[in-house]
Amino acid sequence: MLESIQLSKSFGKLKVLKDMSVQMRAGQTISLIGPNGSGKTTFIKCLLGLVIPDSGSINLYGNNVLGGWDYRRYIGYMPQIGRYPDNIRIGQLFDMVQEIRRGTYQRTDDDLLRAFDLPKLAHKTMRTLSGGTRQKVSACLAFLFDPDVLILDEPTAGLDPVASEILKEKVLAEKAKGKLTLLTSHILSDLDELTTDVMYLMDGQLQFYQSIQALKEQTGEEKLHRAIANVMKQHPAA
Ligand code: ADP
Ligand code: MG
């Protein structure tokens, strides 16, 4: 349903993405992993149209969406760092976003809002929030319009273990509904139970993209992080 074809991006002389071609399907929960600076966020931003690739294309439901914007209604995005106006209150933020999206969405999903107990904090201004609460706000916004595709950039970073579990449960629930989720993390053990497929990016180059099942069979390892470490040894970076 979502596909990148030979996506490349440089910032100045630095090649950050190199010919990234991947196909992603409904029902997959894909963990995009790789060291810091390997291009994960850049890839995600290309999919969202927030970074314009130098070459390549992006298809959603078979249509080329590069340069478009309307397709974003199908995608919920949780940025690695959510930026919000300092003085807006949480409640106002959600009202505002819903007002902007009025007419373009079918239904809203506030399960996560309630699970995080955010309505209780509706009067708090964004400026006063801890990093973790800010992350919760970002997560809730990503799921709010019940999108077909979820793109979560380091979703569990900064969340306490309870919040992290709640978010994971939500991703699983959406997967059961047939959603596609693409998420990044550099903490592998975090994602063990969620992931159906792993994409490994290194220096902007896709090293492998495999189902968990195949990965575990190939390496004989049950633990995801061991299986990945094992495959990484077989695919030394060029
Ligand atoms: P990751 O998310 O895997 O940590 P990023 O995609 O954020 O990696 O960054 C990949 C590389 O691209 C890094 O070297 C980063 O410094 C560089 N980079 C990212 N965005 C920009 C930008 N807007 N301008 C210049 N360099 C950038
Ligand atoms: Mg990143």
mmCIF file of all heavy atoms in Angstrom, residues 140-175:
data_model
loop_
_atom_site.group_PDB
_atom_site.id
_atom_site.type_symbol
_atom_site.label_atom_id
_atom_site.label_comp_id
_atom_site.label_asym_id
_atom_site.label_seq_id
_atom_site.Cartn_x
_atom_site.Cartn_y
_atom_site.Cartn_z
ATOM 1 N N CYS A 140 -0.898 10.789 20.721
ATOM 2 C CA CYS A 140 -2.359 10.883 20.603
ATOM 3 C C CYS A 140 -2.760 11.564 19.299
ATOM 4 O O CYS A 140 -3.744 11.165 18.658
ATOM 5 C CB CYS A 140 -2.934 11.648 21.785
ATOM 6 S SG CYS A 140 -2.798 10.715 23.315
ATOM 7 N N LEU A 141 -2.010 12.569 18.897
ATOM 8 C CA LEU A 141 -2.327 13.268 17.646
ATOM 9 C C LEU A 141 -2.154 12.325 16.449
ATOM 10 O O LEU A 141 -2.920 12.376 15.487
ATOM 11 C CB LEU A 141 -1.442 14.504 17.482
ATOM 12 C CG LEU A 141 -1.775 15.678 18.412
ATOM 13 C CD1 LEU A 141 -0.709 16.768 18.296
ATOM 14 C CD2 LEU A 141 -3.159 16.255 18.108
ATOM 15 N N ALA A 142 -1.135 11.457 16.522
ATOM 16 C CA ALA A 142 -0.880 10.541 15.405
ATOM 17 C C ALA A 142 -2.062 9.591 15.194
ATOM 18 O O ALA A 142 -2.416 9.269 14.062
ATOM 19 C CB ALA A 142 0.398 9.751 15.656
ATOM 20 N N PHE A 143 -2.678 9.154 16.300
ATOM 21 C CA PHE A 143 -3.762 8.169 16.193
ATOM 22 C C PHE A 143 -5.138 8.828 16.068
ATOM 23 O O PHE A 143 -6.130 8.151 15.805
ATOM 24 C CB PHE A 143 -3.764 7.260 17.430
ATOM 25 C CG PHE A 143 -2.618 6.288 17.475
ATOM 26 C CD1 PHE A 143 -1.422 6.613 18.085
ATOM 27 C CD2 PHE A 143 -2.749 5.036 16.878
ATOM 28 C CE1 PHE A 143 -0.361 5.714 18.116
ATOM 29 C CE2 PHE A 143 -1.690 4.126 16.908
ATOM 30 C CZ PHE A 143 -0.495 4.473 17.530
ATOM 31 N N LEU A 144 -5.218 10.113 16.254
ATOM 32 C CA LEU A 144 -6.497 10.792 16.455
ATOM 33 C C LEU A 144 -7.503 10.619 15.315
ATOM 34 O O LEU A 144 -8.697 10.517 15.551
ATOM 35 C CB LEU A 144 -6.239 12.295 16.704
ATOM 36 C CG LEU A 144 -7.428 13.122 17.160
ATOM 37 C CD1 LEU A 144 -7.982 12.605 18.478
ATOM 38 C CD2 LEU A 144 -7.017 14.598 17.312
ATOM 39 N N PHE A 145 -7.018 10.605 14.087
ATOM 40 C CA PHE A 145 -7.959 10.558 12.967
ATOM 41 C C PHE A 145 -8.059 9.168 12.349
ATOM 42 O O PHE A 145 -8.425 9.028 11.181
ATOM 43 C CB PHE A 145 -7.595 11.621 11.930
ATOM 44 C CG PHE A 145 -7.646 13.006 12.523
ATOM 45 C CD1 PHE A 145 -6.481 13.675 12.859
ATOM 46 C CD2 PHE A 145 -8.862 13.605 12.794
ATOM 47 C CE1 PHE A 145 -6.529 14.936 13.436
ATOM 48 C CE2 PHE A 145 -8.921 14.865 13.372
ATOM 49 C CZ PHE A 145 -7.756 15.534 13.704
ATOM 50 N N ASP A 146 -7.708 8.160 13.138
ATOM 51 C CA ASP A 146 -7.879 6.774 12.718
ATOM 52 C C ASP A 146 -7.273 6.513 11.337
ATOM 53 O O ASP A 146 -7.935 5.962 10.453
ATOM 54 C CB ASP A 146 -9.399 6.459 12.706
ATOM 55 C CG ASP A 146 -9.672 4.970 12.690
ATOM 56 O OD1 ASP A 146 -8.768 4.194 13.020
ATOM 57 O OD2 ASP A 146 -10.795 4.586 12.304
ATOM 58 N N PRO A 147 -6.018 6.907 11.140
ATOM 59 C CA PRO A 147 -5.414 6.795 9.806
ATOM 60 C C PRO A 147 -5.063 5.350 9.440
ATOM 61 O O PRO A 147 -4.875 4.525 10.336
ATOM 62 C CB PRO A 147 -4.139 7.628 9.936
ATOM 63 C CG PRO A 147 -3.768 7.505 11.375
ATOM 64 C CD PRO A 147 -5.068 7.441 12.135
ATOM 65 N N ASP A 148 -4.973 5.080 8.130
ATOM 66 C CA ASP A 148 -4.622 3.733 7.659
ATOM 67 C C ASP A 148 -3.159 3.408 7.941
ATOM 68 O O ASP A 148 -2.786 2.255 8.102
ATOM 69 C CB ASP A 148 -4.837 3.618 6.145
ATOM 70 C CG ASP A 148 -6.288 3.802 5.767
ATOM 71 O OD1 ASP A 148 -7.130 3.800 6.683
ATOM 72 O OD2 ASP A 148 -6.577 3.949 4.567
ATOM 73 N N VAL A 149 -2.345 4.462 7.916
ATOM 74 C CA VAL A 149 -0.904 4.283 8.075
ATOM 75 C C VAL A 149 -0.437 5.088 9.283
ATOM 76 O O VAL A 149 -0.823 6.244 9.452
ATOM 77 C CB VAL A 149 -0.146 4.795 6.823
ATOM 78 C CG1 VAL A 149 1.363 4.591 6.981
ATOM 79 C CG2 VAL A 149 -0.651 4.121 5.556
ATOM 80 N N LEU A 150 0.393 4.470 10.111
ATOM 81 C CA LEU A 150 0.971 5.188 11.254
ATOM 82 C C LEU A 150 2.475 5.222 11.101
ATOM 83 O O LEU A 150 3.102 4.190 10.842
ATOM 84 C CB LEU A 150 0.598 4.480 12.557
ATOM 85 C CG LEU A 150 -0.888 4.630 12.843
ATOM 86 C CD1 LEU A 150 -1.455 3.415 13.534
ATOM 87 C CD2 LEU A 150 -1.135 5.895 13.642
ATOM 88 N N ILE A 151 3.031 6.396 11.220
ATOM 89 C CA ILE A 151 4.477 6.540 11.142
ATOM 90 C C ILE A 151 4.941 7.171 12.444
ATOM 91 O O ILE A 151 4.588 8.305 12.761
ATOM 92 C CB ILE A 151 4.882 7.386 9.917
ATOM 93 C CG1 ILE A 151 4.448 6.665 8.631
ATOM 94 C CG2 ILE A 151 6.387 7.620 9.923
ATOM 95 C CD1 ILE A 151 4.881 7.335 7.351
ATOM 96 N N LEU A 152 5.669 6.385 13.222
ATOM 97 C CA LEU A 152 6.038 6.802 14.575
ATOM 98 C C LEU A 152 7.561 6.839 14.683
ATOM 99 O O LEU A 152 8.219 5.805 14.541
ATOM 100 C CB LEU A 152 5.456 5.814 15.601
ATOM 101 C CG LEU A 152 3.984 5.405 15.404
ATOM 102 C CD1 LEU A 152 3.594 4.318 16.418
ATOM 103 C CD2 LEU A 152 3.043 6.593 15.548
ATOM 104 N N ASP A 153 8.092 8.020 14.911
ATOM 105 C CA ASP A 153 9.553 8.181 14.947
ATOM 106 C C ASP A 153 10.029 8.165 16.395
ATOM 107 O O ASP A 153 9.760 9.101 17.145
ATOM 108 C CB ASP A 153 9.939 9.491 14.249
ATOM 109 C CG ASP A 153 11.410 9.517 13.834
ATOM 110 O OD1 ASP A 153 12.145 8.579 14.197
ATOM 111 O OD2 ASP A 153 11.807 10.480 13.148
ATOM 112 N N GLU A 154 10.692 7.101 16.779
ATOM 113 C CA GLU A 154 11.175 6.902 18.159
ATOM 114 C C GLU A 154 10.040 7.105 19.161
ATOM 115 O O GLU A 154 10.160 7.903 20.109
ATOM 116 C CB GLU A 154 12.313 7.885 18.482
ATOM 117 C CG GLU A 154 13.457 7.875 17.484
ATOM 118 C CD GLU A 154 14.535 6.836 17.801
ATOM 119 O OE1 GLU A 154 14.476 6.218 18.879
ATOM 120 O OE2 GLU A 154 15.413 6.643 16.956
ATOM 121 N N PRO A 155 8.936 6.373 18.990
ATOM 122 C CA PRO A 155 7.754 6.648 19.809
ATOM 123 C C PRO A 155 7.941 6.412 21.305
ATOM 124 O O PRO A 155 7.314 7.096 22.107
ATOM 125 C CB PRO A 155 6.698 5.694 19.246
ATOM 126 C CG PRO A 155 7.466 4.608 18.601
ATOM 127 C CD PRO A 155 8.709 5.261 18.059
ATOM 128 N N THR A 156 8.796 5.469 21.669
ATOM 129 C CA THR A 156 8.888 5.162 23.096
ATOM 130 C C THR A 156 9.988 5.955 23.802
ATOM 131 O O THR A 156 10.092 5.903 25.026
ATOM 132 C CB THR A 156 9.129 3.651 23.325
ATOM 133 O OG1 THR A 156 10.275 3.254 22.585
ATOM 134 C CG2 THR A 156 7.936 2.834 22.886
ATOM 135 N N ALA A 157 10.771 6.713 23.031
ATOM 136 C CA ALA A 157 11.838 7.505 23.660
ATOM 137 C C ALA A 157 11.205 8.531 24.596
ATOM 138 O O ALA A 157 10.319 9.285 24.203
ATOM 139 C CB ALA A 157 12.668 8.200 22.590
ATOM 140 N N GLY A 158 11.635 8.546 25.833
ATOM 141 C CA GLY A 158 11.133 9.539 26.781
ATOM 142 C C GLY A 158 9.856 9.129 27.491
ATOM 143 O O GLY A 158 9.403 9.825 28.396
ATOM 144 N N LEU A 159 9.252 8.021 27.078
ATOM 145 C CA LEU A 159 8.035 7.564 27.777
ATOM 146 C C LEU A 159 8.425 6.660 28.942
ATOM 147 O O LEU A 159 9.357 5.870 28.835
ATOM 148 C CB LEU A 159 7.140 6.772 26.822
ATOM 149 C CG LEU A 159 6.425 7.529 25.712
ATOM 150 C CD1 LEU A 159 5.490 6.576 24.956
ATOM 151 C CD2 LEU A 159 5.641 8.715 26.254
ATOM 152 N N ASP A 160 7.670 6.788 30.039
ATOM 153 C CA ASP A 160 7.939 5.876 31.150
ATOM 154 C C ASP A 160 7.413 4.485 30.770
ATOM 155 O O ASP A 160 6.669 4.342 29.795
ATOM 156 C CB ASP A 160 7.313 6.407 32.451
ATOM 157 C CG ASP A 160 5.796 6.505 32.365
ATOM 158 O OD1 ASP A 160 5.153 5.520 31.970
ATOM 159 O OD2 ASP A 160 5.259 7.585 32.692
ATOM 160 N N PRO A 161 7.819 3.447 31.511
ATOM 161 C CA PRO A 161 7.450 2.079 31.126
ATOM 162 C C PRO A 161 5.945 1.865 30.997
ATOM 163 O O PRO A 161 5.495 1.137 30.108
ATOM 164 C CB PRO A 161 8.020 1.237 32.260
ATOM 165 C CG PRO A 161 9.129 2.043 32.832
ATOM 166 C CD PRO A 161 8.728 3.470 32.656
ATOM 167 N N VAL A 162 5.167 2.505 31.849
ATOM 168 C CA VAL A 162 3.712 2.319 31.782
ATOM 169 C C VAL A 162 3.167 2.919 30.484
ATOM 170 O O VAL A 162 2.415 2.281 29.741
ATOM 171 C CB VAL A 162 3.017 2.971 33.003
ATOM 172 C CG1 VAL A 162 1.510 2.871 32.868
ATOM 173 C CG2 VAL A 162 3.488 2.321 34.290
ATOM 174 N N ALA A 163 3.589 4.145 30.197
ATOM 175 C CA ALA A 163 3.130 4.823 28.981
ATOM 176 C C ALA A 163 3.590 4.065 27.742
ATOM 177 O O ALA A 163 2.855 3.927 26.756
ATOM 178 C CB ALA A 163 3.662 6.249 28.961
ATOM 179 N N SER A 164 4.796 3.564 27.807
ATOM 180 C CA SER A 164 5.368 2.818 26.702
ATOM 181 C C SER A 164 4.527 1.569 26.404
ATOM 182 O O SER A 164 4.231 1.252 25.252
ATOM 183 C CB SER A 164 6.793 2.451 27.103
ATOM 184 O OG SER A 164 7.498 1.985 26.033
ATOM 185 N N GLU A 165 4.117 0.878 27.467
ATOM 186 C CA GLU A 165 3.258 -0.305 27.321
ATOM 187 C C GLU A 165 1.919 0.077 26.686
ATOM 188 O O GLU A 165 1.416 -0.612 25.810
ATOM 189 C CB GLU A 165 2.973 -0.926 28.693
ATOM 190 C CG GLU A 165 3.800 -2.104 29.117
ATOM 191 C CD GLU A 165 4.312 -2.988 27.990
ATOM 192 O OE1 GLU A 165 3.493 -3.691 27.358
ATOM 193 O OE2 GLU A 165 5.527 -2.983 27.735
ATOM 194 N N ILE A 166 1.355 1.175 27.163
ATOM 195 C CA ILE A 166 0.055 1.620 26.640
ATOM 196 C C ILE A 166 0.162 1.891 25.143
ATOM 197 O O ILE A 166 -0.692 1.481 24.349
ATOM 198 C CB ILE A 166 -0.414 2.887 27.398
ATOM 199 C CG1 ILE A 166 -0.805 2.523 28.830
ATOM 200 C CG2 ILE A 166 -1.574 3.570 26.671
ATOM 201 C CD1 ILE A 166 -1.125 3.717 29.733
ATOM 202 N N LEU A 167 1.236 2.541 24.758
ATOM 203 C CA LEU A 167 1.430 2.857 23.345
ATOM 204 C C LEU A 167 1.609 1.580 22.518
ATOM 205 O O LEU A 167 1.033 1.435 21.438
ATOM 206 C CB LEU A 167 2.638 3.781 23.187
ATOM 207 C CG LEU A 167 2.918 4.245 21.764
ATOM 208 C CD1 LEU A 167 1.716 4.961 21.152
ATOM 209 C CD2 LEU A 167 4.130 5.170 21.727
ATOM 210 N N LYS A 168 2.368 0.642 23.061
ATOM 211 C CA LYS A 168 2.578 -0.623 22.351
ATOM 212 C C LYS A 168 1.254 -1.365 22.166
ATOM 213 O O LYS A 168 0.983 -1.916 21.099
ATOM 214 C CB LYS A 168 3.563 -1.507 23.116
ATOM 215 C CG LYS A 168 5.011 -1.126 22.836
ATOM 216 C CD LYS A 168 5.944 -2.175 23.397
ATOM 217 C CE LYS A 168 6.775 -1.598 24.505
ATOM 218 N NZ LYS A 168 7.626 -2.573 25.170
ATOM 219 N N GLU A 169 0.430 -1.362 23.224
ATOM 220 C CA GLU A 169 -0.884 -2.001 23.135
ATOM 221 C C GLU A 169 -1.707 -1.365 22.019
ATOM 222 O O GLU A 169 -2.414 -2.035 21.282
ATOM 223 C CB GLU A 169 -1.643 -1.854 24.465
ATOM 224 C CG GLU A 169 -1.104 -2.699 25.595
ATOM 225 C CD GLU A 169 -1.240 -4.188 25.301
ATOM 226 O OE1 GLU A 169 -2.271 -4.596 24.752
ATOM 227 O OE2 GLU A 169 -0.267 -4.926 25.618
ATOM 228 N N LYS A 170 -1.591 -0.063 21.924
ATOM 229 C CA LYS A 170 -2.350 0.658 20.896
ATOM 230 C C LYS A 170 -1.882 0.271 19.495
ATOM 231 O O LYS A 170 -2.697 0.041 18.598
ATOM 232 C CB LYS A 170 -2.193 2.179 21.110
ATOM 233 C CG LYS A 170 -2.970 3.034 20.148
ATOM 234 C CD LYS A 170 -4.461 2.782 20.248
ATOM 235 C CE LYS A 170 -5.227 3.658 19.267
ATOM 236 N NZ LYS A 170 -6.616 3.174 19.097
ATOM 237 N N VAL A 171 -0.576 0.171 19.329
ATOM 238 C CA VAL A 171 -0.043 -0.227 18.017
ATOM 239 C C VAL A 171 -0.540 -1.631 17.662
ATOM 240 O O VAL A 171 -0.957 -1.892 16.529
ATOM 241 C CB VAL A 171 1.508 -0.173 18.003
ATOM 242 C CG1 VAL A 171 2.061 -0.771 16.717
ATOM 243 C CG2 VAL A 171 1.986 1.265 18.160
ATOM 244 N N LEU A 172 -0.546 -2.524 18.652
ATOM 245 C CA LEU A 172 -1.040 -3.886 18.417
ATOM 246 C C LEU A 172 -2.522 -3.884 18.044
ATOM 247 O O LEU A 172 -2.951 -4.610 17.149
ATOM 248 C CB LEU A 172 -0.829 -4.748 19.675
ATOM 249 C CG LEU A 172 0.582 -5.274 19.883
ATOM 250 C CD1 LEU A 172 0.697 -5.981 21.239
ATOM 251 C CD2 LEU A 172 0.988 -6.242 18.773
ATOM 252 N N ALA A 173 -3.287 -3.056 18.742
ATOM 253 C CA ALA A 173 -4.724 -2.990 18.460
ATOM 254 C C ALA A 173 -4.960 -2.492 17.031
ATOM 255 O O ALA A 173 -5.847 -2.992 16.323
ATOM 256 C CB ALA A 173 -5.417 -2.070 19.464
ATOM 257 N N GLU A 174 -4.169 -1.532 16.600
ATOM 258 C CA GLU A 174 -4.322 -0.991 15.244
ATOM 259 C C GLU A 174 -3.885 -2.018 14.200
ATOM 260 O O GLU A 174 -4.475 -2.116 13.134
ATOM 261 C CB GLU A 174 -3.522 0.308 15.091
ATOM 262 C CG GLU A 174 -4.023 1.440 15.965
ATOM 263 C CD GLU A 174 -5.514 1.695 15.801
ATOM 264 O OE1 GLU A 174 -5.914 2.121 14.694
ATOM 265 O OE2 GLU A 174 -6.272 1.468 16.753
ATOM 266 N N LYS A 175 -2.858 -2.760 14.533
ATOM 267 C CA LYS A 175 -2.398 -3.823 13.642
ATOM 268 C C LYS A 175 -3.515 -4.844 13.421
ATOM 269 O O LYS A 175 -3.756 -5.292 12.298
ATOM 270 C CB LYS A 175 -1.174 -4.495 14.260
ATOM 271 C CG LYS A 175 -0.659 -5.704 13.534
ATOM 272 C CD LYS A 175 0.489 -6.259 14.355
ATOM 273 C CE LYS A 175 0.812 -7.691 14.019
ATOM 274 N NZ LYS A 175 1.723 -8.241 15.030
#
